[in-house]
Amino acid sequence: MTEKYTTRKGDGRKIELTKSEIREDIEEGSADAANKGGINELKEDEKDKIVSLITDPSKVVSVEKGNEVPFTHDIGTLRLMGDQGNSGVGIPMSREQGVKTHERAFAVDTMELGHIDYSFKPAKPIIAQEQQTLEDILLSTIVPIWYGAMPNLGLYYAPDGQFKNPNELMPEGKIKEAKEAQEKAIEQAKEDMSYIAENLRKVGLDGLNIDTTAAAGDPDFKAVLEVTEELKSNPETEDLAIEIGMAAEHVLGMHGDLEYNGKQLAGIFPHEQVEIVEEAGGDLFGPVCNTKTGKSLPWNLARAVTFVKETSKVSDIPIHVNMGMGVCGVPMFETPPVDAVTRASSAMVEVGNVDGI
Amino acid sequence: MGMNIAHYAASGLGGIRTAGDLVARCQMRENMKIDEAKNYVAKKLDVDTQDLSNVNVMRDLREELDIGVITSLPGAAKGVEAKSKIADVLDIEIPSVNRLKNKIE
């Protein structure tokens, strides 16, 4: 009888596959990325490496000694104090305590401060609070500190925001009005992000982590690119490190006609996104590849590594791949299986050639 | 546990247990890719790049350089004190250290 190996589905369920089935899924996953992105499939030895990781009988696998990489984080301390919606575990503690816990107990290389909503817009009216908390953290910690937040253009549309909702206008055929609302939201989001960056930089912030970029499509991405360019052109903020982490592998064309430096933003994949991020002045890039819950870990991982390897290859800035729940091979499950996470982590470093996670 | 600790066990440098914060700073400040950042830090610390994730080497070296250690060591540089030493050792700018210098000048 052919030996079977325990692995996972994209939703975290345990499944059993033979080595040839694992290899077949890796071939298909890599081919899918190559086809969608117009990029090369993984080489045979790279597929062999993923097969060896998947079939390793150990629960936890790792990179070879010496191949380790540094980590940046999204969501910051919310994973400790936040609710389930933030993947938090609900421990009552201050953000200062959360940062120190990560530095001293979780061996983080960098850490992050963020507002409980984790969006730029609601942080603006309480900027003094954010500055004060950041000052305390910077005095008492050693690792580099990011301020993390989402551009979250959805907050600028009705009923929460001041602009008409393009998702309501478009079904009514009001395409021009929908695009105008998005263009207004871009300008307001840029103003908010710039205000927050400038004020946090004044008190010594190391870096700005713009997370889930393009979650609201190409207008979201355009706002981030343009504010990055502005911050890098401003003497007060030019040395502020900016990490741009994506929301998904593909930029949705919610507007459709938006460009940056003559390049259309809708429809581009990670290896194309990073080139535009570099043009804008971004310092680190966090690519995303969505996990398909109905496919296996080998399929999802091979697909994600194919995209990210190409992104690393064309990039001149460090790539810190997004490897949270439901992206880049990690199953879409709120308590991700350690066996799957360590396999995805190792493959992304040793085959995807990332500079960090 | 499922994310932080699992990633650290699989591929993490180790933060201030080792030299993870130092490598990350070089990436953030100078856009260095991983090999360049590790080589830069190793040269400044006068160690092999393999030692950057070796707690046995880095624990003592961090204490000797007084750039911050993970355990609570009385008298050792803490917080911005340690970062001011890191700025000197790595020859890089750290915004919070510059802010402190401006305050006491």
Side-chain angles (χ1 to χ4, degrees), chain A residues 144-176:
Chain A
I145 301 296
W146 299 88
Y147 188 83
M150 305 183 291
N152 199 353
L153 244 61
L155 287 183
Y156 295 92
Y157 304 135
D160 299 318
Q162 61 270 57
F163 305 117
K164 290 179 182 174
N165 194 324
N167 298 318
E168 292 174 358
L169 293 169
M170 283 193 190
E172 295 171 8
K174 296 176 180 173
I175 306 301
K176 183 168 176 285

Side-chain angles (χ1 to χ4, degrees), chain A residues 17-235:
Chain A
L17 298 174
T18 64
K19 195 176 233 181
S20 63
E21 287 171 331
I22 289 169
R23 178 77 190 198
E24 197 175 310
D25 277 7
I26 290 169
E27 300 273 358
E28 284 181 13
S30 184
D32 188 74
N35 181 43
K36 283 195 170 60
I39 57 179
N40 291 325
E41 286 186 37
L42 296 176
K43 295 174 184 165
E44 293 308 305
D45 62 329
E46 293 166 336
K47 292 173 184 172
D48 292 342
K49 173 71 181 176
I50 299 177
V51 170
S52 73
L53 286 168
I54 299 293
T55 56
D56 190 308
S58 308
K59 177 178 178 181
V60 172
V61 300
S62 78
V63 298
E64 289 181 22
K65 288 191 284 289
N67 286 352
E68 299 91 346
V69 297
F71 299 154
T72 47
H73 298 261
D74 64 355
I75 211 171
T77 61
L78 302 186
R79 69 170 62 87
L80 294 181
M81 68 194 62
D83 64 300
Q84 185 197 25
N86 274 321
S87 307
V89 293
I91 302 172
M93 62 164 55
S94 70
R95 292 185 292 175
E96 291 91 329
Q97 290 169 321
V99 170
K100 282 198 171 186
T101 302
H102 277 80
E103 177 180 274
R104 307 242 148 214
F106 296 167
V108 299
D109 305 298
T110 70
M111 195 39 199
E112 185 182 273
L113 174 68
H115 178 276
I116 194 73
D117 182 78
Y118 204 60
S119 299
F120 281 101
K121 185 182 173 185
K124 190 179 183 186
I126 57 157
I127 190 65
Q129 177 66 49
E130 301 305 84
Q131 287 176 303
Q132 178 179 287
T133 304
L134 178 63
E135 284 177 293
D136 274 347
I137 289 168
L138 289 170
L139 281 172
S140 61
T141 59
I142 299 168
V143 298
I145 301 296
W146 299 88
Y147 188 83
M150 305 183 291
N152 199 353
L153 244 61
L155 287 183
Y156 295 92
Y157 304 135
D160 299 318
Q162 61 270 57
F163 305 117
K164 290 179 182 174
N165 194 324
N167 298 318
E168 292 174 358
L169 293 169
M170 283 193 190
E172 295 171 8
K174 296 176 180 173
I175 306 301
K176 183 168 176 285
E177 291 90 333
K179 288 184 176 182
E180 284 173 357
Q182 290 172 327
E183 288 157 17
K184 286 175 184 169
I186 290 172
E187 295 309 312
Q188 186 61 55
K190 280 166 56 184
E191 188 180 317
D192 292 352
M193 287 189 277
S194 182
Y195 178 85
I196 289 163
E198 285 173 17
N199 281 287
L200 295 178
R201 179 62 189 82
K202 282 179 192 167
V203 296
L205 180 66
D206 291 300
L208 187 71
N209 180 14
I210 308 179
D211 188 45
T212 70
T213 294
D218 49 347
D220 206 300
F221 197 16
K222 188 172 175 69
V224 169
L225 293 166
E226 290 189 348
V227 81
T228 298
E229 185 180 334
E230 284 178 18
L231 291 169
K232 288 294 178 180
S233 307
N234 179 349

Side-chain angles (χ1 to χ4, degrees), chain B:
Chain B
M1 167 61 197
M3 303 309 295
N4 270 56
I5 308 299
H7 277 303
Y8 171 50
S11 57
L13 265 171
I16 61 172
R17 298 185 83 219
T18 54
D21 60 319
L22 310 181
V23 173
R25 278 200 186 278
C26 292
Q27 292 193 330
M28 291 170 68
R29 293 296 303 182
E30 306 294 338
N31 299 156
M32 292 179 186
K33 303 282 273 184
I34 186 65
D35 290 343
E36 185 186 4
K38 283 184 175 177
N39 287 331
Y40 181 87
V41 173
K43 191 175 175 187
K44 290 291 183 186
L45 299 182
D46 196 21
V47 297
D48 190 273
T49 53
Q50 291 277 332
D51 288 331
L52 297 177
S53 58
N54 184 348
V55 286
N56 187 253
V57 169
M58 286 308 305
R59 172 61 183 79
D60 289 347
L61 183 58
R62 288 193 81 113
E63 184 175 345
E64 182 188 323
L65 296 172
D66 206 17
I67 57 173
V69 292
I70 197 159
T71 44
S72 184
L73 182 67
K78 305 279 194 304
V80 74
E81 297 168 347
K83 285 189 284 192
S84 68
K85 299 263 190 178
I86 289 170
D88 288 342
V89 168
L90 294 184
D91 190 24
I92 60 169
E93 300 277 327
I94 297 180
S96 53
V97 172
N98 290 344
R99 180 170 183 248
L100 175 68
K101 286 178 181 170
N102 290 336
K103 286 281 183 191
I104 60 179
E105 267 177 7

